Structure formats: structure tokens, C-alpha cells
Amino acid sequence: MIEDAPVAGRPLSPLDPVALLSSHPILQTDPRGLIIWVNDAFEALTGFTSAEAMGKTPGSLLQCPDTNPQTIRAIREALAARVPIRTPILNRSKAGRFYWLDLEIQPVFDGEGVIQGFQAIEVDVTDLMETLSRDRAALDLAARREATVANVAQLAGVGSWEVELETNRVIWTDQARHLLDLDPGMALTLADSIALFTPEARPIVEAAVALGVASGEPYKFEQPLITPRGRAIWIRVVGRLVTGAAEPSRLVGAIQDVTGLRAEREALQAALAAAEAATIAKSEFLANMSHEIRTPLTGVLGFAGLLEKLPDLPETARSYAGRIATSGQALLSVVNDILDFSKLEADRVTLDPHPFDPWALVAETVALVAAEAGRKGLTLTTEFEGEPPAAVLADSARVRQVLLNLLSNAIKFTKAGQITIKLGYCPEAGGELRVAVADSGIGIPADQVDRLFQRFSQVDGSNTRVYGGTGLGLAISKSLAELMGGRIGAESSWGKGSTFWFTLAAPRAELARPEPAAAEAQVLVAADARILVVDDVAMNRELVRTMLAPFAYDITEAANGADAVRAALSVPFDLILMDLQMPGMDGLAATRAIRATSDLNQQTPIVALSANVLPIHIAECRDAGMDDHIAKPISPADLLTKIAHWTLPEEVDTPQSEAR
């Protein structure tokens, strides 16, 4: 029994340096000739997996009846004598294909000269052997075999070397000399070879070689050098120390010209940087467009809402105000869709899972669209398949967003009939919620269903289409469903209605105690606070003042950040509503200045009131010292709730701010 036999499945250290960078089939055996390791190229050529090859001899696995008996005998004799052999051999793959190999077998010894096994490197020369068989008289088999191996090394830009540590003399293969532009008679020591590297690279090379000699571990590096002919190249070096009782210690290794690879890598990195810059530019553009659209929408929606509430407004005017508000909300929905899609594309959407009642969520969402469905004479019904759980754990806001999108589409594309919402729950595999929306609408041609969930894609993209939209709603819904661990799909046929469905991972959960309702009532009576409203747009300041007029708040206005800081230095406020984008000093700078210089308002809550609504903007608000954020267009209910939260005494329980 041989001591310290190699462990099956663990490769021996390659003896041939070129094999370190080879993409050709390699196999290794134990001292008895049983396979203990093969590389991926072996599996690709032979069709035998590593598991199938383990424990078998190469001959029993690969040889075919036509293999030359003299070749087999020569290989066995070489293995018995523990000497290298190189020979052509005919093999057979698992699929039965015959192929020729240029086979080189090397015995592998440990540091004490004890045989550890054998390593075989194979070069597929089937095409060459077929050519030789047609014109054997014109070609010399041995010369062509050597040329094949040399060509492979040349194509890969790989050469090998050896350093005798006693003399420090470097022995190069022809391919290595070719790579380094070394003349055939040029003799180099190890120091001469290191001197070829650029001055900046030499300390790195010297340290790597010294560490390899001291530790005996393989080493590698990739550094630039200048050849004796003045050619600048990058080379990759792989080396290791070889020691043995019967021979002096030496370094062996391989070099590869990676100049072209580095150029490709740098081009790829440049392309990646350009793509990242384009993504940043797109994000900045979307953020600016969102701000520029939301700012006028603040006035449109705000004053339209106030106009609708005037008690003596004629009905015709009230109807027109309602249409303005509806159109503004539609435009806001488009802006929100685009922002949602950009955040999903950039992987910036995070989920907020919490316990909620799925049946209640469906009922609340249906209530949001009930009026719209009623105007078209559509019937809305809900069904639950199976036993509904009391609560599930998921992001209810995102579930509502997907369901609302499906419901809105169903109402848009259904002229008459009904819409049915089906809710089901599967407790297996941790729990899965399934929601389906079935309508009796126009349906979708079968060959168009696959386009539904593609971004910017609509079934009818013609100039004469009846139904508008960005084509983003279903793409966003698909991304959200997948983000929540589920799927989304549709079944439809033209003229017969459609069913859209989605699933999500939703384990059972326990509902938290409901929040007291007292806070909501308190929102409308907290009317004695002193508030500073900071906005460079006079219309926005007027809108906030008008919204708050019924509650007799003490309102002070500032048209820019500098005015806000001056006001904060002279008057104590209970709350500061701060716009972000303003000329001169913006809201972030003004907030920092107030926190740093105003003794009167250093601790005063500052709430951003801005059309900048992306997560990065909200994070910047927090970093500047703001406490909360209200998005434009301004919702009166949201505005009053936030004011109550930050101005009412602590003993009054108010709805908590999600941005605090």
C-alpha cells in the first residue's frame, strides 16, 4: 500500500506548466491508474461526467477496438516504469464517436520522490489525423503532432519557463522566447528577466517570486514589461517551486500575453462606466422631469380641490373643476408610473412586509374604483376561494398597487357587464396569496398576450387606438409581483373578456392591535401652531395658506432659503414646511443653517414640502436634518396629518410619519 495516496476527487498539482493555463482535456490518476480527477474540457470531449469517470482506468472508459495494441502496450510499460510518454491514440466518446488524441502522460512525484499518480494532457488532433490518413506520404506524423501542440500554445499566447535556483539561469521554451522577443542565443538570469518589467512592476514581481520560493505555494501576477525590442506588453505569470531529493530545486511556470485581453477588459470597463453614467443621467432627468411636472400639478390639483369645495359654486363650474382634478390625477399617475418603473429598473424598490387582512385590502381597493365602475354601469363582485387567513405577511401597499392597476385596466377595457375579483390562499410552501381579476371586456388576441407585460408595449399601438396609457402599468405590476416572490399572468381571447392574476409569497401572520381613532379627529382641531412656509413659488405658498385657513394657524411665509434662515433666527416656530429646490440657498442648506445657528428653532420639526420624491431625495432630507417629507402635489389630508403629528402634544396619539 502506498502511503499518502491522493484523495479521490482532489486534483494533483500539475507538472506541466503550460497545463496551468490549458483549455485542453486533463485527467489525473492515482498510482494504480484509476482516475481521481478530470477537468471540464475532458467532460466536454468524452461525454463522461466526473462522477462517471471516477475510479475507472482511462483505457476501460475510452479505448475502442481499433486502438493500436502496440500503443496500449507502450503506455502500460511507461506507467509501470514511472516514465513520461507521448503518443497519438484513438479513443471513443460516451456517444460512440471516434477521435484522435495527442496524449502526453507524466508521472507526478512528491518532494521525497514518491509516486503520487499520473497526469495526462490531451490535444484533440482528429482533423489532423484524418488529413494524415489521406496523405501520409506528404506529412511527417511526429512533426505535425509537435506543430499542433506548438500552434495551440501560440494561439493561446502561452509559453513556459524554468529557473534553476542554483544558477538562477532561466530556460525558455520557443513560444516563451517568441512572446518576449528573445533571440535564440540570448541567455537571461532570473534578475535579467525581472528587469524586463517596468520600474513600477518590478517590486511586485520580486515580492511574488520571493514569496513563492519561501512558501512553496503557487504564485501568479499580471504586470507590464518592455521586451528587448522595445515592445510594451502585459503578461500573466503563473509559477511554483519544485523540489526533489534527486534534483536541484527549481521554479517552473507559464507566461501568457494578455495585452489583448486587458484591452478588451478596459474597453468593457469603459462601456460599463458609460452605461452607469447614462443611468445616472437618466435618473437625474427623471427626477428633474418629475419635479417640473409635480410643481405646476400642485397648483392645478390643489386649487381645483379648493374650487370644488366652494359652497356657492355653480354646478357647471363644479363639474369643470372635477374634470380638472381628474385630468390632473391622471397626469400624476403617469408621472408616478415612470418613477416606479425607473426605481424597479435600478433595483431601488424595497418592500415593507407587515401583517394585514387580505380580504379587507381587496374590499378597500374595490371601493377606490367603485364610483368609476358605477359610472360605466359595471357590476363589481368579490369572491374568496377556500378559507381566508385572518392576516398575511407582505407589503400591502405594493399588493394594493398591483391590484389597483389590474382593476383600473379591467374597468377601462370593459364597456358593459361585470368584473369579478377572486382571492385565494394556498398554505403550502410557506403560504401563497393569489388574486385574479376577471372581466367581460373586449379581450385580447391570443398572439398579443405575450406583449402585455413588456415595458412601453400595448396591444393597440396605432394612431387610432381608443385607449390611452403609457404601457408601463403591467410591466411595473410584473416587476412588483416577482419582487414579492410571486408571478403574474393573463388568460384572454378576443371578444370574450380577460382574466389577469398574480401571486405572492404571503405566510400567515397575526394582526397588530388597531391604532386608536382619536388621533384622526385631533388632526382637524390642532389650530394654534405657528408655522413657517418656505417656497420660492408664490402660488404654492398661497395654496398652503388657503388649505390651512380654516384652522387659524399662524402662518409666516419665506420666498427662499436665506429668508427662512433669517425668520428662524428671530421667531420661534412650532413647525417649518421647507421646499427643497429654491434659487440661492436651497432647502437642504437652509435646514443645515437653522440647525447650526438658530437657538430658537434648532429643535423645531422641519418637514420637506417638495416635488422631489425619489428615495435619494428623502435620504438627503434626513441627512440635512429634516424630520419628515410631504410630496407635491399636496394632499390636504396628508398635510394636516403631518402638521398634527409634529405639533400636537406628545400625549396625543397621532399617525406616525413613515419618513421620520
Side-chain angles (χ1 to χ4, degrees):
M1 180 176 179
I2 297 176
E3 296 294 327
D4 299 324
V7 177
R10 186 175 64 193
L12 303 168
S13 299
L15 182 63
D16 184 352
V18 177
L20 293 168
L21 296 169
S22 175
S23 61
H24 293 293
I26 300 176
L27 66 86
Q28 293 179 341
T29 75
D30 65 11
R32 298 168 295 172
L34 300 180
I35 296 174
I36 62 170
W37 179 79
V38 298
N39 66 354
D40 292 342
F42 176 89
E43 295 184 6
L45 177 65
T46 68
F48 290 101
T49 66
S50 175
E52 291 171 330
M54 289 301 166
K56 297 182 177 62
T57 64
S60 66
L61 197 67
L62 303 171
Q63 286 174 10
C64 61
D66 294 333
T67 301
N68 190 330
Q70 294 180 346
T71 300
I72 297 175
R73 185 164 54 253
I75 292 175
R76 289 175 177 170
E77 291 175 354
L79 296 180
R82 310 298 200 239
V83 296
I85 185 171
R86 184 173 184 176
T87 181
I89 188 169
L90 183 63
N91 277 356
R92 179 174 57 186
S93 71
K94 182 179 180 181
R97 182 180 71 88
F98 294 156
Y99 57 93
W100 279 95
L101 290 177
D102 178 6
L103 177 66
E104 182 176 356
I105 304 175
Q106 290 274 4
V108 179
F109 301 92
D110 64 10
E112 304 299 325
V114 177
I115 184 72
Q116 295 293 295
F118 299 90
Q119 175 175 273
I121 302 177
E122 305 171 345
V123 177
D124 187 347
V125 292
T126 304
D127 293 342
L128 172 62
M129 294 300 290
E130 289 176 354
T131 301
L132 290 175
S133 67
R134 290 192 298 267
D135 193 5
R136 229 171 249 283
L139 298 170
D140 176 75
L141 176 61
R144 282 301 301 268
R145 190 170 66 244
E146 292 292 338
T148 300
V149 176
N151 286 336
V152 169
Q154 185 173 3
L155 288 173
V158 177
S160 60
W161 50 267
E162 181 177 323
V163 179
E164 297 175 347
L165 293 182
E166 290 184 358
T167 64
N168 275 336
R169 184 171 67 94
V170 184
I171 302 172
W172 307 95
T173 62
D174 291 342
Q175 178 60 18
R177 286 183 174 274
H178 173 74
L179 289 177
L180 299 177
D181 295 338
L182 302 179
D183 293 333
M186 183 179 293
L188 295 178
T189 64
L190 179 58
D192 296 332
S193 303
I194 294 176
L196 294 175
F197 289 90
T198 61
E200 297 79 11
R202 286 171 202 157
I204 300 173
V205 175
E206 290 172 345
V209 174
L211 182 61
V213 172
S215 67
E217 296 295 325
Y219 62 89
K220 61 182 178 180
F221 56 82
E222 190 175 298
Q223 294 296 328
L225 61 73
I226 308 298
T227 71
R229 297 180 187 175
R231 189 165 59 95
I233 62 173
W234 277 82
I235 65 166
R236 180 182 297 147
V237 177
V238 181
R240 67 167 299 162
L241 180 68
V242 176
T243 60
E247 56 184 353
S249 298
R250 66 190 192 281
L251 288 172
V252 298
I255 61 172
Q256 182 180 26
D257 185 346
V258 294
T259 308
L261 293 176
R262 286 187 64 88
E264 293 175 1
R265 189 189 309 162
E266 290 172 359
L268 181 61
Q269 290 173 343
L272 180 61
E276 290 175 346
T279 299
I280 293 172
K282 182 180 73 172
S283 298
E284 291 176 350
F285 171 77
L286 288 173
N288 289 334
M289 288 301 297
S290 170
H291 180 273
E292 294 305 313
I293 295 173
R294 284 174 179 273
T295 297
L297 270 180
T298 300
V300 171
L301 292 175
F303 284 107
L306 294 173
L307 187 61
E308 279 187 294
K309 295 177 182 178
L310 290 179
D312 55 350
L313 190 69
E315 284 304 313
T316 301
R318 194 181 308 279
S319 173
Y320 290 167
R323 293 182 182 182
I324 292 171
T326 300
S327 299
Q329 287 293 346
L331 180 56
L332 180 61
S333 177
V334 171
V335 174
N336 288 336
D337 275 354
I338 294 173
L339 290 179
D340 265 349
F341 183 76
S342 67
K343 288 187 286 186
L344 285 164
E345 264 199 330
D347 292 327
R348 291 179 179 174
V349 172
T350 56
L351 298 178
D352 178 25
H354 54 272
F356 68 92
D357 181 349
W359 185 253
L361 181 140
V362 169
E364 293 165 1
T365 308
V366 170
L368 293 175
V369 298
E372 184 182 358
R375 284 192 290 270
K376 297 185 70 174
L378 302 176
T379 302
L380 293 176
T381 60
T382 55
E383 300 176 2
F384 197 97
E385 301 172 345
E387 183 67 24
V392 296
L393 184 66
D395 189 332
S396 63
R398 294 302 182 181
V399 177
R400 181 183 289 106
Q401 182 178 353
V402 177
L403 176 56
L404 191 58
N405 182 270
L406 299 187
L407 281 172
S408 298
N409 281 348
I411 294 172
K412 179 193 295 186
F413 294 106
T414 304
K415 293 182 178 179
Q418 67 177 22
I419 297 171
T420 303
I421 302 93
K422 298 180 180 180
L423 184 63
Y425 187 75
C426 177
E428 285 77 16
E432 181 181 75
L433 198 66
R434 177 184 172 91
V435 185
V437 177
D439 63 61
S440 57
I442 60 175
I444 304 160
D447 60 347
Q448 299 292 322
V449 172
D450 290 342
R451 293 179 53 189
L452 289 172
F453 300 98
Q454 298 176 13
R455 59 182 183 176
F456 308 115
S457 177
Q458 294 178 319
V459 171
D460 181 8
S462 66
N463 292 332
T464 58
R465 62 181 178 155
V466 178
Y467 307 99
T470 61
L472 284 177
L474 288 177
I476 293 171
S477 297
K478 179 177 184 294
S479 297
L480 289 175
E482 293 173 350
L483 186 64
M484 292 186 290
R487 297 169 294 121
I488 194 168
E491 292 94 30
S492 183
S493 57
W494 183 247
K496 296 183 180 180
S498 306
T499 298
F500 285 79
W501 56 267
F502 69 97
T503 66
L504 64 142
R508 291 181 183 271
E510 295 291 332
L511 277 177
R513 289 185 178 181
E515 294 291 336
E520 191 171 336
Q522 291 282 358
V523 170
L524 300 179
V525 298
D528 57 349
R530 180 176 292 168
I531 301 175
L532 173 63
V533 179
V534 187
D535 200 306
D536 63 310
V537 179
M539 179 184 67
N540 291 340
R541 301 197 302 273
E542 179 187 355
L543 177 62
V544 173
R545 179 183 286 277
T546 305
M547 285 180 173
L548 301 181
F551 309 103
Y553 288 112
D554 185 356
I555 305 294
T556 300
E557 296 182 19
N560 53 58
D563 288 349
V565 174
R566 282 191 287 270
L569 290 173
S570 58
V571 178
F573 293 100
D574 297 299
L575 179 68
I576 299 174
L577 299 175
M578 181 76 72
D579 188 21
L580 295 185
Q581 285 192 207
M582 294 182 290
M585 177 182 284
D586 64 20
L588 300 176
T591 298
R592 293 189 180 96
I594 292 171
R595 295 297 190 218
T597 63
S598 174
D599 293 335
L600 296 175
N601 292 285
Q602 201 168 43
Q603 303 300 322
T604 299
I606 300 179
V607 177
L609 188 61
S610 175
N612 290 341
V613 297
L614 294 178
I616 188 174
H617 298 142
I618 296 175
E620 289 172 348
C621 292
R622 292 196 189 96
D623 293 342
M626 294 185 179
D627 300 280
D628 210 337
H629 183 281
I630 300 174
K632 293 178 180 177
I634 305 167
S635 162
D638 190 25
L639 177 63
L640 292 170
T641 299
K642 294 295 177 77
I643 291 175
H645 174 71
W646 291 108
T647 60
L648 286 173
E650 291 184 2
E651 60 268 16
V652 177
D653 188 9
T654 61
Q656 292 301 304
S657 166
E658 63 183 69
R660 187 175 183 179

